[in-house]
Amino acid sequence: MKPLSYVQVRTAREAIEAFVAAGESARYIAGGTNLYDLMKLGIEKPAHLIDIADLDGANRIDTDGDRLFFGGAALMADVAEHPVVRDDYPVLAESLSKAASQQLRNMATVGGNLLQRTRCPYFRNGADGTYPCNKREPGSGCAAIGGIDRSQAVLGASAACNAVSPGDWPVALMAMDAAVELQGLDGTRVIPISELYRPPSRTPHLEFTIGREEIVTGISVPKTAAGRNSTYLKVRDRESYAFALVSAAVALEMDGDRVRQAHVALGGVATVPWRGRPAEAVLRGETLDRGRALEAARAAFAEARAGRHNAFKIELGARTLADAIINAGSRNQ
Amino acid sequence: MPDPQDRQPFDLTRRQVLETGTIASLTGAMLPTAGLAQQAGPQPSPENGMTVHLSFRVNGRPTALDIDARASLLDLLRERLGLVGAKKGCDHGQCGACTVHMDNRRVASCLTMAAKADGRDVTTIEGIARANGLHPMQQAFIDHDALQCGYCTPGQIMAAIACVKEGHASTPEQIKEYMSGNICRCGAYVGIVAAIEQAAPQIERS
């Protein structure tokens, strides 16, 4: 790890000014669970760290208005255990409590988690030059395509990259139509979370649309009765403390026993948090049974493409999503 | 010069052997223990990166020093402060052996930049015993044989105390879920869950 300077700041303005002054090799750090890890692996090499974990008021959780609001530096553990989130938006609480470990959830922030980088083994393990990776070294190639690709994406891959977007929380937020508040040099802007992520296309190193000096200052979720009829189902190689092989976030707006509108997103299978619109279309206006749920789930994977070792994700993903649809429906009172 | 064979090998503690890296010497002539004593203890080394000043409390004791800005809390505790209870297992937040408490929350000290501890309270395994003896969780781990090699144990115990204080130890299933960040390669999990169930009623929720 290269020597570096480290400074703690108290306001977003101060942080942005320090960032701009520090130049190209500056990075913000909050919980550090991802960035510091990548620094140890030689993948991230900042010379200046600006610590934004303790910005004034940035850990605020506010459930009083017509939207849930989570400050960018709110801890994953605190949002997961907030009574309103836990009781009225189980998809959000479950996506957080099934991520990482309690130690890491006590450190990691809900803003930083949106920008977590892939767990692709070739991305993480090849910084010494062993493996090419278009994310680490643009234009160097991709060792995962045609390689040991069991963990890789079946949706959204390009000829340059098939690395999976690793998060759980962003998948739940995608289903719930969340918005992300970003503060930069020119003030604050708000974007739908779907616009935060770039498909890999030919430039997989460009993963987010956030500006270099911008800070995730907050996340908001529209309040909806669908929140209660929601679930986050995550299938892993072990029962706990692992990244998703496949995961499904589902929230259902119901009209009696019919689905008015389903909200579906997938994790573990795609290069970005993946909205399952085809599944939503199948479910619209329908009553729920296992056959219908599986039909919808298969629709979400209609465009999936497997590599050498990850074809299982397509069937596992469909069955997981079908289970999640049934689970969410069973929460309808 | 005394004959090294006259010395009792068990004068050496396991820690002295580990700290001085002289395990091999046990198989041959013993080193004089006086030499070992001089080498034992923390070995402060000059920091070679940019430094930041850190002022915090470790196990209730105010501590101030200049640290390399890159340092992890784990390395600071072990290499500068001589608190070697927290262990370096994976150094990537994946095993839990480095678990300590910061402001009463459990964290992975290997992924915590030491600079972040400024102004905070850090508690390590060395700081939990009570005036009248072991912490109830320590005693429970002994009572239930909740370890074999012991390498993960300080992290397990620190995570377990937090698990109870958070209110996440009400059923065996919940204990397993909220202790999943601590890996035990000896597989002492059954004993660990039993130990936490025993100690839980003796520990106040925070």
Side-chain angles (χ1 to χ4, degrees), chain B:
Chain B
M1 186 177 166
D3 180 351
Q5 298 298 328
D6 290 340
R7 296 197 173 270
Q8 289 294 317
F10 300 109
D11 286 351
L12 281 170
T13 67
R14 177 170 161 272
R15 173 149 302 151
Q16 283 172 316
V17 172
L18 290 174
E19 283 179 350
T20 53
T22 52
I23 293 172
S25 71
L26 282 170
T27 60
M30 298 303 300
L31 289 170
T33 49
L36 283 177
Q38 279 171 9
Q39 291 173 46
Q43 305 277 314
S45 56
E47 303 288 18
N48 57 16
M50 279 177 256
T51 58
V52 290
H53 186 71
L54 178 63
S55 174
F56 69 136
R57 281 166 303 283
V58 186
N59 299 326
R61 189 168 151 191
T63 304
L65 71 174
D66 290 325
I67 60 162
D68 190 307
R70 296 168 291 183
S72 69
L73 179 58
L74 177 63
D75 284 344
L76 171 67
L77 292 169
R78 292 182 56 87
E79 308 297 332
R80 298 286 306 277
L81 303 179
L83 296 168
V84 294
K87 296 293 185 284
K88 186 177 282 194
C90 67
D91 208 23
H92 288 279
Q94 297 173 7
C95 78
C98 68
T99 302
V100 301
H101 297 178
M102 190 149 86
D103 287 352
N104 292 315
R105 285 173 176 264
R106 50 173 152 162
V107 298
S109 63
C110 74
L111 283 191
T112 301
M113 294 194 80
K116 281 179 165 287
D118 192 49
R120 301 190 189 260
D121 268 299
V122 172
T123 306
T124 71
I125 189 75
E126 289 91 343
I128 60 164
R130 296 171 179 183
N132 56 355
L134 294 177
H135 187 283
M137 192 64 78
Q138 290 175 304
Q139 187 59 52
F141 268 62
I142 294 170
D143 293 346
H144 290 275
D145 260 346
L147 62 139
Q148 185 174 306
C149 83
Y151 194 81
C152 72
T153 310
Q156 296 279 2
I157 290 176
M158 296 309 286
I161 293 169
C163 181
V164 173
K165 289 186 171 177
E166 292 157 7
H168 290 144
S170 49
T171 64
E173 291 69 33
Q174 196 183 31
I175 291 170
K176 289 178 191 174
E177 175 59 38
Y178 281 88
M179 288 295 292
S180 69
N182 291 77
I183 310 295
C184 170
R185 280 294 171 242
C186 301
Y189 295 111
V190 173
I192 292 169
V193 173
I196 296 172
E197 287 187 283
Q198 173 183 306
Q202 304 168 56
I203 299 171
E204 278 180 35
R205 288 188 43 180
S206 52

Side-chain angles (χ1 to χ4, degrees), chain A residues 5 25 73 87 111 177 179 216 218 243 247 296 323 325:
Chain A
S5 75
S25 54
D87 296 343
D177 294 311
V216 178
F243 286 88
S247 67
D323 285 353
I325 291 167

